[in-house]
Amino acid sequence: MATTTVWFIIIAFLWTGYFFLEGFDFGVGVLLPVLGRDDTERRVLINTIGPVWDGNEVWFIVAGAATFAAFPEWYATLFSGFYLPLLAILLALIVRGVAFEYRGKRDDARWRRRWDRAIFWGSVVPAFLWGVAFANLVRGVPLDAAHEYAGTLGDLLSPFALLGGLTTLTLFVLHGAVFVALKTTGDVRRRANRAARVMVTAAIAVGGLFLLLTQLLYGKPVTWLTVAAAVTGLAVAAVAGARGREGWAFAGTGTAIAFAVATLFLALFPHVMPSTLDAANGLTTSNAASSPYTLKIMTIVALTFTPMVMLYQGWTYWVFRRRIGTHHIPRPVA
Protein backbone atom coordinates (compact mmCIF):
# COMPACT_ATOMS: atom_id res chain seq x y z
CA MET A 1 0.00 0.00 0.00
CA ALA A 2 1.33 3.42 -0.94
CA THR A 3 2.42 5.65 1.93
CA THR A 4 0.08 8.37 0.69
CA THR A 5 -2.84 5.96 1.01
CA VAL A 6 -1.73 5.02 4.51
CA TRP A 7 -1.78 8.68 5.52
CA PHE A 8 -5.16 9.22 3.93
CA ILE A 9 -6.43 6.37 6.14
CA ILE A 10 -4.71 7.82 9.22
CA ILE A 11 -6.31 11.23 8.64
CA ALA A 12 -9.71 9.57 8.12
CA PHE A 13 -9.18 7.72 11.42
CA LEU A 14 -8.32 10.96 13.24
CA TRP A 15 -11.43 12.72 11.94
CA THR A 16 -13.54 9.70 12.89
CA GLY A 17 -12.17 9.81 16.42
CA TYR A 18 -12.78 13.54 16.62
CA PHE A 19 -16.40 13.32 15.49
CA PHE A 20 -17.07 10.33 17.74
CA LEU A 21 -15.67 12.01 20.86
CA GLU A 22 -16.31 15.69 20.24
CA GLY A 23 -19.69 14.79 18.74
CA PHE A 24 -21.26 14.05 22.11
CA ASP A 25 -19.56 17.15 23.57
CA PHE A 26 -21.35 19.24 20.96
CA GLY A 27 -24.58 17.39 21.65
CA VAL A 28 -24.38 18.06 25.38
CA GLY A 29 -23.76 21.76 24.69
CA VAL A 30 -26.76 22.00 22.36
CA LEU A 31 -28.98 20.20 24.86
CA LEU A 32 -27.83 22.27 27.84
CA PRO A 33 -30.88 24.60 27.87
CA VAL A 34 -33.23 21.73 27.02
CA LEU A 35 -32.26 19.11 29.60
CA GLY A 36 -31.11 21.45 32.38
CA ARG A 37 -34.13 23.02 34.09
CA ASP A 38 -32.08 24.86 36.72
CA ASP A 39 -28.48 25.74 37.42
CA THR A 40 -27.78 22.55 39.35
CA GLU A 41 -28.98 20.34 36.49
CA ARG A 42 -27.00 22.36 33.98
CA ARG A 43 -23.91 21.84 36.13
CA VAL A 44 -24.59 18.10 36.02
CA LEU A 45 -24.69 18.24 32.22
CA ILE A 46 -21.45 20.21 32.02
CA ASN A 47 -19.77 17.85 34.48
CA THR A 48 -20.53 14.84 32.26
CA ILE A 49 -18.01 16.20 29.73
CA GLY A 50 -15.96 18.38 32.07
CA PRO A 51 -13.01 15.99 32.49
CA VAL A 52 -12.78 15.05 28.79
CA TRP A 53 -13.95 17.82 26.44
CA ASP A 54 -10.55 19.48 26.05
CA GLY A 55 -8.89 16.11 25.45
CA ASN A 56 -11.45 15.35 22.76
CA GLU A 57 -10.51 18.55 20.92
CA VAL A 58 -6.91 17.32 20.66
CA TRP A 59 -8.10 14.97 17.90
CA PHE A 60 -9.01 18.02 15.79
CA ILE A 61 -5.60 19.59 16.38
CA VAL A 62 -3.80 16.37 15.47
CA ALA A 63 -5.98 15.86 12.37
CA GLY A 64 -5.16 19.38 11.19
CA ALA A 65 -1.45 18.95 11.92
CA ALA A 66 -1.37 15.58 10.14
CA THR A 67 -3.05 17.10 7.09
CA PHE A 68 -0.53 19.96 7.06
CA ALA A 69 2.44 17.58 7.27
CA ALA A 70 1.23 14.77 5.00
CA PHE A 71 -0.76 16.75 2.40
CA PRO A 72 0.41 20.39 2.54
CA GLU A 73 -1.25 21.28 -0.78
CA TRP A 74 -4.59 20.01 0.54
CA TYR A 75 -4.12 21.92 3.78
CA ALA A 76 -3.26 25.17 2.00
CA THR A 77 -6.19 25.00 -0.42
CA LEU A 78 -8.64 23.88 2.24
CA PHE A 79 -7.82 26.58 4.76
CA SER A 80 -7.74 29.34 2.16
CA GLY A 81 -10.91 28.31 0.31
CA PHE A 82 -12.88 27.44 3.48
CA TYR A 83 -11.45 30.37 5.42
CA LEU A 84 -14.70 31.90 6.72
CA PRO A 85 -16.41 28.62 7.80
CA LEU A 86 -13.24 27.37 9.48
CA LEU A 87 -12.72 30.73 11.19
CA ALA A 88 -16.31 30.55 12.48
CA ILE A 89 -15.63 27.05 13.81
CA LEU A 90 -12.42 28.12 15.56
CA LEU A 91 -14.07 31.17 17.13
CA ALA A 92 -16.99 29.06 18.32
CA LEU A 93 -14.62 26.51 19.88
CA ILE A 94 -12.70 29.28 21.62
CA VAL A 95 -15.87 30.88 23.01
CA ARG A 96 -17.17 27.48 24.16
CA GLY A 97 -13.91 26.67 25.93
CA VAL A 98 -13.88 30.05 27.68
CA ALA A 99 -17.51 29.54 28.70
CA PHE A 100 -16.74 26.22 30.39
CA GLU A 101 -13.98 27.87 32.42
CA TYR A 102 -15.67 31.20 33.24
CA ARG A 103 -19.23 30.06 33.88
CA GLY A 104 -18.69 29.36 37.57
CA LYS A 105 -16.39 32.29 38.34
CA ARG A 106 -19.22 34.47 39.66
CA ASP A 107 -22.27 33.62 41.75
CA ASP A 108 -24.61 35.53 39.45
CA ALA A 109 -27.53 33.96 37.58
CA ARG A 110 -27.32 36.36 34.64
CA TRP A 111 -23.58 35.79 34.35
CA ARG A 112 -24.13 32.01 34.13
CA ARG A 113 -26.99 32.37 31.64
CA ARG A 114 -24.75 34.36 29.29
CA TRP A 115 -22.07 31.67 29.37
CA ASP A 116 -24.71 28.97 28.95
CA ARG A 117 -25.78 30.67 25.73
CA ALA A 118 -22.12 30.78 24.69
CA ILE A 119 -21.85 27.02 25.28
CA PHE A 120 -25.01 26.46 23.23
CA TRP A 121 -23.93 28.51 20.21
CA GLY A 122 -20.34 27.37 20.56
CA SER A 123 -21.65 23.84 20.08
CA VAL A 124 -24.28 24.46 17.38
CA VAL A 125 -21.97 26.35 15.01
CA PRO A 126 -19.17 23.76 14.66
CA ALA A 127 -21.61 20.83 14.76
CA PHE A 128 -23.35 22.29 11.71
CA LEU A 129 -20.36 23.71 9.83
CA TRP A 130 -18.28 20.54 10.01
CA GLY A 131 -20.98 18.79 8.03
CA VAL A 132 -21.08 21.63 5.51
CA ALA A 133 -17.29 21.46 5.08
CA PHE A 134 -17.08 17.69 4.57
CA ALA A 135 -20.08 17.63 2.24
CA ASN A 136 -18.26 20.20 0.08
CA LEU A 137 -15.12 18.07 0.06
CA VAL A 138 -17.06 15.12 -1.32
CA ARG A 139 -19.10 17.23 -3.75
CA GLY A 140 -16.08 19.16 -4.97
CA VAL A 141 -15.33 22.87 -5.10
CA PRO A 142 -14.17 25.22 -7.88
CA LEU A 143 -10.37 24.89 -8.11
CA ASP A 144 -8.31 26.48 -10.88
CA ALA A 145 -5.26 24.99 -12.58
CA ALA A 146 -3.02 26.23 -9.74
CA HIS A 147 -5.18 24.34 -7.19
CA GLU A 148 -6.45 27.65 -5.81
CA TYR A 149 -10.04 28.05 -4.66
CA ALA A 150 -11.87 30.06 -7.32
CA GLY A 151 -15.33 30.25 -5.77
CA THR A 152 -17.21 32.35 -3.24
CA LEU A 153 -18.81 31.70 0.12
CA GLY A 154 -22.10 31.05 -1.66
CA ASP A 155 -20.54 28.13 -3.53
CA LEU A 156 -20.06 26.38 -0.18
CA LEU A 157 -23.75 26.70 0.76
CA SER A 158 -25.34 24.37 -1.76
CA PRO A 159 -28.42 22.33 -0.72
CA PHE A 160 -26.24 19.21 -0.51
CA ALA A 161 -23.76 20.96 1.80
CA LEU A 162 -26.51 22.37 4.02
CA LEU A 163 -28.04 18.89 4.27
CA GLY A 164 -24.61 17.65 5.34
CA GLY A 165 -24.58 20.28 8.07
CA LEU A 166 -28.02 19.26 9.31
CA THR A 167 -26.86 15.64 9.31
CA THR A 168 -23.87 16.22 11.57
CA LEU A 169 -25.93 18.49 13.82
CA THR A 170 -28.70 15.93 14.34
CA LEU A 171 -26.24 13.05 14.73
CA PHE A 172 -24.22 14.92 17.34
CA VAL A 173 -27.30 16.01 19.30
CA LEU A 174 -28.53 12.41 19.32
CA HIS A 175 -25.06 11.21 20.37
CA GLY A 176 -25.01 13.78 23.16
CA ALA A 177 -28.49 12.87 24.42
CA VAL A 178 -27.53 9.19 24.63
CA PHE A 179 -24.26 10.10 26.37
CA VAL A 180 -26.10 12.18 28.98
CA ALA A 181 -28.55 9.32 29.57
CA LEU A 182 -25.57 6.99 30.02
CA LYS A 183 -23.77 9.29 32.45
CA THR A 184 -26.52 10.74 34.68
CA THR A 185 -29.25 9.77 37.11
CA GLY A 186 -32.70 11.04 38.03
CA ASP A 187 -34.72 13.58 36.06
CA VAL A 188 -31.83 14.58 33.80
CA ARG A 189 -31.41 10.97 32.71
CA ARG A 190 -35.13 10.58 31.99
CA ARG A 191 -35.25 13.77 29.92
CA ALA A 192 -32.15 12.71 28.03
CA ASN A 193 -33.76 9.39 27.13
CA ARG A 194 -36.86 11.19 25.87
CA ALA A 195 -34.72 13.58 23.83
CA ALA A 196 -32.80 10.65 22.35
CA ARG A 197 -36.02 8.95 21.22
CA VAL A 198 -37.03 12.14 19.41
CA MET A 199 -33.62 12.80 17.91
CA VAL A 200 -33.08 9.28 16.61
CA THR A 201 -36.07 9.72 14.31
CA ALA A 202 -34.67 13.02 13.02
CA ALA A 203 -31.20 11.50 12.59
CA ILE A 204 -32.54 8.55 10.60
CA ALA A 205 -34.57 10.85 8.34
CA VAL A 206 -31.95 13.56 7.76
CA GLY A 207 -28.85 11.37 7.94
CA GLY A 208 -30.40 8.62 5.86
CA LEU A 209 -31.31 11.08 3.11
CA PHE A 210 -27.83 12.64 3.10
CA LEU A 211 -26.04 9.28 2.98
CA LEU A 212 -28.35 8.03 0.24
CA LEU A 213 -27.70 11.14 -1.87
CA THR A 214 -23.97 10.83 -1.22
CA GLN A 215 -24.05 7.23 -2.38
CA LEU A 216 -26.11 7.91 -5.49
CA LEU A 217 -24.12 10.98 -6.55
CA TYR A 218 -20.58 10.25 -5.42
CA GLY A 219 -20.46 6.78 -3.93
CA LYS A 220 -18.69 3.58 -4.90
CA PRO A 221 -19.86 -0.03 -4.59
CA VAL A 222 -18.01 -0.43 -1.28
CA THR A 223 -19.74 2.59 0.26
CA TRP A 224 -23.08 0.80 0.08
CA LEU A 225 -21.68 -1.29 2.96
CA THR A 226 -20.70 1.74 5.05
CA VAL A 227 -24.05 3.43 4.40
CA ALA A 228 -25.84 0.26 5.51
CA ALA A 229 -23.63 0.04 8.61
CA ALA A 230 -24.36 3.67 9.55
CA VAL A 231 -28.11 3.19 9.20
CA THR A 232 -27.88 -0.06 11.17
CA GLY A 233 -26.11 1.83 13.95
CA LEU A 234 -28.99 4.29 14.13
CA ALA A 235 -31.49 1.41 14.18
CA VAL A 236 -29.59 -0.20 17.05
CA ALA A 237 -29.62 3.11 18.92
CA ALA A 238 -33.38 3.42 18.41
CA VAL A 239 -34.16 -0.10 19.63
CA ALA A 240 -31.68 -0.02 22.52
CA GLY A 241 -32.86 3.42 23.63
CA ALA A 242 -36.48 2.30 23.67
CA ARG A 243 -35.49 -0.63 25.91
CA GLY A 244 -33.40 1.49 28.26
CA ARG A 245 -30.10 -0.07 27.14
CA GLU A 246 -28.12 3.14 27.12
CA GLY A 247 -24.71 1.53 26.60
CA TRP A 248 -25.90 -0.23 23.45
CA ALA A 249 -27.59 2.96 22.29
CA PHE A 250 -24.32 4.86 22.66
CA ALA A 251 -22.50 2.14 20.74
CA GLY A 252 -25.15 2.49 18.03
CA THR A 253 -24.78 6.25 17.66
CA GLY A 254 -21.00 5.93 17.70
CA THR A 255 -21.17 3.28 14.98
CA ALA A 256 -23.41 5.51 12.88
CA ILE A 257 -20.98 8.44 13.14
CA ALA A 258 -17.93 6.27 12.40
CA PHE A 259 -19.43 4.69 9.28
CA ALA A 260 -20.88 8.00 8.07
CA VAL A 261 -17.36 9.47 8.16
CA ALA A 262 -16.02 6.32 6.46
CA THR A 263 -18.61 6.79 3.70
CA LEU A 264 -17.42 10.34 3.05
CA PHE A 265 -13.73 9.46 2.95
CA LEU A 266 -14.26 6.38 0.77
CA ALA A 267 -16.39 8.42 -1.63
CA LEU A 268 -13.63 11.04 -1.72
CA PHE A 269 -10.65 8.70 -2.31
CA PRO A 270 -8.28 8.96 -4.19
CA HIS A 271 -9.11 12.67 -4.29
CA VAL A 272 -8.67 14.85 -1.25
CA MET A 273 -10.32 17.89 -2.87
CA PRO A 274 -12.06 17.42 -6.24
CA SER A 275 -12.52 20.34 -8.62
CA THR A 276 -15.89 21.16 -10.14
CA LEU A 277 -14.26 23.30 -12.87
CA ASP A 278 -12.02 20.64 -14.36
CA ALA A 279 -11.24 17.18 -13.01
CA ALA A 280 -7.57 17.74 -13.83
CA ASN A 281 -7.49 20.64 -11.33
CA GLY A 282 -8.45 18.43 -8.40
CA LEU A 283 -6.13 17.48 -5.56
CA THR A 284 -5.40 13.79 -5.01
CA THR A 285 -3.39 11.78 -2.51
CA SER A 286 -0.56 11.84 -5.05
CA ASN A 287 -0.30 15.46 -6.17
CA ALA A 288 -1.05 16.95 -2.73
CA ALA A 289 1.36 14.80 -0.68
CA SER A 290 4.67 15.54 0.98
CA SER A 291 7.85 13.76 -0.04
CA PRO A 292 8.09 9.98 0.54
CA TYR A 293 10.85 10.48 3.15
CA THR A 294 8.67 12.92 5.12
CA LEU A 295 5.75 10.49 5.06
CA LYS A 296 8.01 7.63 6.17
CA ILE A 297 9.28 9.55 9.22
CA MET A 298 5.73 10.66 10.07
CA THR A 299 4.50 7.07 9.87
CA ILE A 300 7.09 5.93 12.41
CA VAL A 301 6.16 8.76 14.77
CA ALA A 302 2.43 8.12 14.38
CA LEU A 303 2.74 4.38 15.00
CA THR A 304 4.81 5.08 18.12
CA PHE A 305 2.81 7.79 19.84
CA THR A 306 -0.81 7.29 18.72
CA PRO A 307 -1.34 4.08 20.79
CA MET A 308 0.11 5.85 23.85
CA VAL A 309 -2.28 8.78 23.47
CA MET A 310 -5.25 6.45 22.98
CA LEU A 311 -4.33 4.43 26.08
CA TYR A 312 -4.06 7.58 28.17
CA GLN A 313 -7.38 8.92 26.94
CA GLY A 314 -9.04 5.54 27.52
CA TRP A 315 -7.70 5.57 31.08
CA THR A 316 -9.23 9.04 31.59
CA TYR A 317 -12.65 7.79 30.53
CA TRP A 318 -12.30 4.78 32.84
CA VAL A 319 -11.50 7.00 35.83
CA PHE A 320 -14.56 9.20 35.19
CA ARG A 321 -16.90 6.37 34.17
CA ARG A 322 -19.50 6.63 36.96
CA ARG A 323 -22.88 8.32 36.69
CA ILE A 324 -23.48 11.69 38.32
CA GLY A 325 -26.63 13.43 39.52
CA THR A 326 -27.80 16.59 41.22
CA HIS A 327 -26.89 15.12 44.63
CA HIS A 328 -23.23 15.22 43.59
CA ILE A 329 -23.31 19.00 43.01
CA PRO A 330 -22.25 21.00 46.10
CA ARG A 331 -24.78 23.55 47.29
CA PRO A 332 -23.68 27.21 47.19
CA VAL A 333 -22.36 28.56 50.46
CA ALA A 334 -24.08 31.68 51.79
Side-chain angles (χ1 to χ4, degrees):
M1 184 184 296
T3 312
T4 54
T5 303
V6 170
W7 270 97
F8 183 86
I9 294 172
I10 291 174
I11 289 172
F13 171 75
L14 291 172
W15 281 109
T16 301
Y18 174 65
F19 286 147
F20 178 90
L21 296 171
E22 189 78 333
F24 64 73
D25 287 353
F26 291 145
V28 172
V30 174
L31 292 169
L32 185 65
V34 178
L35 302 182
R37 301 294 173 83
D38 55 34
D39 183 65
T40 302
E41 291 184 346
R42 286 189 286 274
R43 288 177 65 188
V44 168
L45 289 166
I46 293 172
N47 286 354
T48 61
I49 60 174
V52 298
W53 70 267
D54 48 355
N56 294 342
E57 287 191 351
V58 171
W59 287 76
F60 167 46
I61 298 171
V62 175
T67 304
F68 172 76
F71 301 102
E73 191 81 16
W74 182 17
Y75 182 93
T77 304
L78 176 66
F79 276 78
S80 59
F82 290 29
Y83 178 78
L84 288 178
L86 291 177
L87 178 62
I89 289 172
L90 290 174
L91 290 176
L93 293 177
I94 291 170
V95 169
R96 191 178 70 121
V98 171
F100 284 138
E101 299 297 331
Y102 274 69
R103 183 186 184 278
K105 297 299 183 182
R106 286 174 55 182
D107 186 17
D108 183 336
R110 286 189 298 177
W111 170 270
R112 289 192 291 268
R113 281 197 299 270
R114 292 192 189 103
W115 290 117
D116 287 344
R117 285 194 290 270
I119 293 172
F120 173 80
W121 288 110
S123 301
V124 168
V125 170
F128 177 76
L129 289 181
W130 279 130
V132 172
F134 273 84
N136 274 301
L137 286 180
V138 174
R139 174 176 173 265
V141 293
L143 299 181
D144 60 23
H147 306 309
E148 297 288 341
Y149 182 73
T152 64
L153 178 62
D155 294 322
L156 302 178
L157 301 177
S158 66
F160 179 77
L162 295 176
L163 181 61
L166 289 175
T167 297
T168 51
L169 180 59
T170 54
L171 279 176
F172 292 164
V173 174
L174 168 63
H175 199 39
V178 174
F179 180 77
V180 171
L182 183 63
K183 286 285 294 177
T184 59
T185 62
D187 291 337
V188 174
R189 179 186 179 187
R190 285 188 286 272
R191 288 189 212 112
N193 275 314
R194 287 197 297 269
R197 286 193 288 270
V198 173
M199 288 307 304
V200 74
T201 303
I204 290 173
V206 177
L209 176 60
F210 175 70
L211 290 175
L212 179 61
L213 286 175
T214 301
Q215 177 61 35
L216 295 177
L217 296 174
Y218 313 105
K220 301 177 176 70
V222 67
T223 50
W224 279 114
L225 298 177
T226 55
V227 168
V231 174
T232 301
L234 290 176
V236 168
V239 174
R243 296 180 178 180
R245 304 294 297 273
E246 292 147 352
W248 282 103
F250 186 72
T253 57
T255 298
I257 290 173
F259 279 102
V261 176
T263 300
L264 297 179
F265 273 93
L266 286 171
L268 186 61
F269 185 80
H271 285 86
V272 293
M273 209 166 182
S275 174
T276 56
L277 298 180
D278 187 337
N281 297 345
L283 291 171
T284 67
T285 55
S286 299
N287 65 15
S290 294
S291 67
Y293 181 74
T294 300
L295 294 178
K296 181 180 178 180
I297 296 299
M298 288 176 56
T299 303
I300 296 172
V301 172
L303 293 177
T304 302
F305 289 101
T306 301
M308 297 169 58
V309 173
M310 293 180 66
L311 286 172
Y312 171 75
Q313 195 164 21
W315 174 79
T316 303
Y317 277 90
W318 175 257
V319 169
F320 295 101
R321 67 189 182 277
R322 298 190 183 277
R323 294 179 183 269
I324 60 174
T326 53
H327 59 285
H328 292 115
I329 304 298
R331 301 300 176 186
V333 179

